Amino acid sequence: TSSTSKPISSSIKVKVAPNNPEYDPVVVAFPRGVPSSIADDGNNATPPTFTYSKLKESSSRGRRIKGEDDHCTYSASAGRGHDGRLSKTYVCIFDKKKNTLKLVPSAEKGTVFALDQSVKEYSPAVANENSIMGGQDSNISASDRVKMLVDSFGSKKKQKVMDSRAANKVNVHSVVGGGNF
């Protein structure tokens, strides 16, 4: 004989809080991982502090979140607010003593702010796009960059295609009767 036990079930009352833009919680996500100051209680690190503000003082749309802790800065913005999806985001609060679940709508009509993280004392070895080309100016056109890339890494067939494309290019200044282009 096998003993099967029935799962214990209980009823839970669900309450839905009305919208209150002044007090609705802001939902954030940490795509690069939760900061150690939040995730680990034993490290005595100061948790990040955040500010929540308008993108522009004159506009009622769009919000910005900025924060920092001892090592990193965090930022996110939502320019349009609600994007028209039918799904909404709620924060659920379960009260074990009363056996109730309270659903609180999140701020900005359910927008989840994905926080960009940057390390304060980190300076990249490649400071900007100009340094990528070995310190040369960034006056190289997109087609020239593709040509350089194909010359370095492309197959023989792709290199022939690029050479043919360059040979078929018309020099506007050598066209008779072209005027000033």
Side-chain angles (χ1 to χ4, degrees):
T1 62
S2 65
S3 64
T4 59
S5 61
K6 292 183 180 180
I8 299 173
S9 64
S10 63
S11 61
I12 297 175
K13 290 184 180 182
V14 177
K15 297 178 181 178
V16 180
N19 284 343
N20 188 348
E22 191 172 334
Y23 295 106
D24 287 343
V26 176
V27 180
V28 298
F30 293 92
R32 294 186 179 176
V34 177
S36 62
S37 59
I38 294 174
D40 188 16
D41 293 332
N43 63 5
N44 295 329
T46 306
T49 55
F50 292 95
T51 58
Y52 179 67
S53 60
K54 294 180 178 181
L55 281 176
K56 295 180 183 176
E57 286 299 321
S58 60
S59 176
S60 64
R61 291 187 174 179
R63 297 286 186 259
R64 172 182 296 129
I65 295 178
K66 287 187 176 181
E68 66 178 287
D69 60 11
D70 295 336
H71 305 288
C72 297
T73 58
Y74 309 93
S75 65
S77 62
R80 292 182 356 198
H82 183 57
D83 63 2
R85 292 175 295 159
L86 296 176
S87 62
K88 306 287 185 230
T89 306
Y90 286 83
V91 175
C92 299
I93 304 167
F94 180 65
D95 186 344
K96 290 181 182 179
K97 291 181 182 177
K98 295 180 181 178
N99 208 23
T100 60
L101 184 67
K102 183 178 180 182
L103 302 175
V104 181
S106 66
E108 290 299 302
K109 298 183 181 177
T111 300
V112 177
F113 292 87
L115 295 169
D116 293 324
Q117 178 180 355
S118 60
V119 179
K120 288 181 180 179
E121 297 174 8
Y122 173 72
S123 58
V126 178
N128 58 28
E129 191 175 308
N130 294 344
S131 299
I132 294 172
M133 302 305 288
Q136 299 173 3
D137 287 335
S138 179
N139 295 334
I140 300 171
S141 69
S143 61
D144 289 340
R145 288 182 189 211
V146 171
K147 172 89 170 105
M148 290 170 35
L149 187 63
V150 170
D151 286 344
S152 297
F153 302 106
S155 64
K156 293 288 183 188
K157 183 178 179 181
K158 189 66 173 178
Q159 288 175 1
K160 285 182 182 180
V161 169
M162 294 302 289
D163 290 341
S164 174
R165 187 180 292 173
N168 292 331
K169 195 181 254 184
V170 176
N171 185 355
V172 178
H173 300 293
S174 65
V175 174
V176 177
N180 291 333
F181 283 105

